[in-house]
Amino acid sequence: MATSRRTKAPVKETWLLLIYKVPSDSSRARVAVWRELKRLGGFYVQQAVCVLPDREDLRAGLAKVRERVTELGGSSVFLTLTDVDDDARTQFVEGFRSQSAKEYAEIVEECDTKFVKEIEFERFRENYTFEEAEEIRQDLEKLRRWLAKVEGRDWMDAEGKELARSKVADCERMLEEFEADVYERTEGKV
């Protein structure tokens, strides 16, 4: 069942729960598992206990994480939760919303600080080169990929999506203006 924005979580939602343990002497192993679960969009209920909505692609991702845990000398338990009380369901939904909202806010911050400041700095330096424009274009592509990943993990309709989209679009407009200036200052003189 779908859920509308800011209403109670869906009644029939099922969840995937992974409980795992990796050797305590290897922080590298713990970080590797944590990173992969965060990449999937997992919400940590507590240390080494991660929940995700029940979706086929996430099941496949969790299977790979479990293989990785085993390779690292650890163990895991995988459960499908079909009867979750309202308090836990609310905790899961709000946890996912909070995670996604934080990621959207980070994208907005990256746009407002790093991206905008980079173009302003290059204008200040009068560094109107194709190479610089290309480097900034790569930064824009990173922002786009990051936004797409966050949107792909935003299963609970978190706040901040439209603002993040708007800021990335603003960055694109700024870059297009910068590229036009680069063209005018280089090719336009020929």
Side-chain angles (χ1 to χ4, degrees), residues 4-183:
S4 63
R5 188 161 181 64
R6 301 288 169 238
T7 61
K8 286 188 176 182
V11 175
K12 298 294 183 187
E13 181 77 48
T14 57
W15 304 92
L16 307 175
L17 183 73
L18 179 68
I19 304 167
Y20 66 93
K21 183 177 180 179
V22 292
S24 60
D25 60 334
S26 174
S27 65
R28 204 174 114 232
R30 287 190 308 275
V31 169
V33 172
W34 168 82
R35 186 176 51 242
E36 190 55 37
L37 286 168
K38 293 306 276 184
R39 190 175 295 125
L40 287 173
F43 170 63
Y44 274 83
V45 179
Q46 64 183 37
Q47 186 176 359
V49 179
C50 192
V51 68
L52 287 157
D54 188 1
R55 299 171 193 275
E56 282 305 312
D57 58 328
L58 297 176
R59 281 181 175 268
L62 282 176
K64 290 178 183 176
V65 170
R66 292 188 73 204
E67 288 173 15
R68 180 77 171 135
V69 167
T70 301
E71 290 169 5
L72 294 168
S75 61
S76 65
V77 174
F78 172 74
L79 302 167
T80 301
L81 306 177
T82 56
D83 187 20
V84 176
D85 68 36
D86 289 341
D87 289 342
R89 185 175 292 114
T90 298
Q91 180 184 1
F92 296 168
V93 170
E94 290 308 313
F96 285 114
R97 282 184 180 148
S98 177
Q99 271 183 189
S100 295
K102 285 177 187 173
E103 289 185 284
Y104 288 131
E106 288 174 10
I107 291 169
V108 168
E109 182 180 349
E110 186 79 7
C111 290
D112 286 345
T113 58
K114 186 179 178 197
F115 194 90
V116 170
K117 299 296 181 202
E118 178 70 15
I119 290 180
E120 288 174 352
F121 182 67
E122 297 310 331
R123 286 186 180 284
F124 173 78
R125 288 179 46 205
E126 296 189 14
N127 186 16
Y128 295 96
T129 65
F130 172 78
E131 293 78 13
E132 191 56 45
E134 187 66 16
E135 185 179 317
I136 297 171
R137 168 98 19 217
Q138 290 172 5
D139 291 340
L140 176 63
E141 293 307 318
K142 287 178 191 174
L143 284 170
R144 286 180 177 153
R145 286 191 303 271
W146 185 12
L147 179 59
K149 285 179 184 178
V150 174
E151 288 178 333
R153 295 186 290 249
D154 182 11
W155 305 292
M156 305 299 162
D157 195 25
E159 290 184 16
K161 181 189 303 186
E162 291 309 315
L163 180 59
R165 285 178 175 172
S166 173
K167 291 293 184 172
V168 170
D170 290 347
C171 290
E172 183 171 9
R173 279 189 292 280
M174 286 183 70
L175 177 57
E176 288 171 357
E177 290 169 6
F178 182 75
E179 288 173 331
D181 290 345
V182 168
Y183 175 80

